[in-house]
């Protein structure tokens, strides 16, 4: 029951803070953060969906909303025109950079500060083990 409560409550708390302070959903933030960490601030849509743990359909809808706000642009890949690439714009980068401190503070408040250093080490190991079980093709966390 503790795990179920965590899986339900923590995403809601993170989403609430991001929407309140930055007018972004948690999923939008993940998408933009994933792009901000990528070379050229660009990723294939399929890779971005995997990074953000969302379906390609959901990602497409979110990227469309982010495009309307001027945060992301989509274009065909230069190597293969069948592939769509999403790129974070300068405005999108500024938005995610501005949102990051509040998001980090919220994660710190609800997760980091709630645990001892030993528990944080255990959480990392537990999270990595579960992630590996869910996605054996993923590398180490």
């Amino acid at each position: 029951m503790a795990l179920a409560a965590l899986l339900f409550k923590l995403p809601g708390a993170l989403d609430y803070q991001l929407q309140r302070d930055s007018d972004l959903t948690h999923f939008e933030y993940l998408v933009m953060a994933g792009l901000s960490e990528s070379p050229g601030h660009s990723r294939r849509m399929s890779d971005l969906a995997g990074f953000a743990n969302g379906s390609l359909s959901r990602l497409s809808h979110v990227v469309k909303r982010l495009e309307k706000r001027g945060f992301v642009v989509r274009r065909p890949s230069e190597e293969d025109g069948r592939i769509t690439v999403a790129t974070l714009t300068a405005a999108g980068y500024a938005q995610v950079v501005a949102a990051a401190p509040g998001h980090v503070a919220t994660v710190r408040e609800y997760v980091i500060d709630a645990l001892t250093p030993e528990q944080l080490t255990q959480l990392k190991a537990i999270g990595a083990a579960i992630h590996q079980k869910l996605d054996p093709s993923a590398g180490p966390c």
Side-chain angles (χ1 to χ4, degrees):
M1 291 306 294
L3 177 60
L6 170 68
L7 294 174
F8 181 74
K9 296 276 187 177
L10 183 59
L14 298 176
D15 197 57
Y16 173 76
Q17 178 275 319
L18 283 164
Q19 286 188 47
R20 180 194 67 214
D21 298 345
S22 303
D23 197 27
L24 293 171
T25 66
H26 192 227
F27 191 74
E28 288 169 339
Y29 178 83
L30 285 174
V31 167
M32 293 171 65
L35 290 172
S36 76
E37 296 172 356
S38 300
H41 294 175
S42 297
R43 276 193 182 193
R44 295 167 52 149
M45 289 285 286
S46 56
D47 294 342
L48 189 55
F51 172 85
N53 196 34
S55 69
L56 202 47
S57 174
R58 179 180 184 201
L59 177 67
S60 183
H61 290 293
V62 167
V63 169
K64 187 176 187 176
R65 284 197 316 264
L66 293 172
E67 277 183 306
K68 287 181 182 177
R69 295 175 68 185
F71 295 154
V72 174
V73 293
R74 283 185 283 190
R75 62 174 169 69
S77 167
E78 294 175 5
E79 293 84 33
D80 184 345
R82 298 171 295 174
I83 296 169
T84 301
V85 175
T87 302
L88 193 63
T89 64
Y93 184 77
Q95 179 74 9
V96 77
V97 166
H103 178 64
V104 169
T106 301
V107 171
R108 176 168 291 285
E109 176 185 357
Y110 290 123
V111 180
I112 307 302
D113 293 346
L115 302 174
T116 66
E118 295 79 22
Q119 289 171 320
L120 284 172
T121 300
Q122 293 169 344
L123 179 62
K124 181 178 180 183
I126 292 166
I130 293 171
H131 183 244
Q132 183 64 35
K133 186 72 172 176
L134 290 169
D135 187 359
S137 67
C141 294

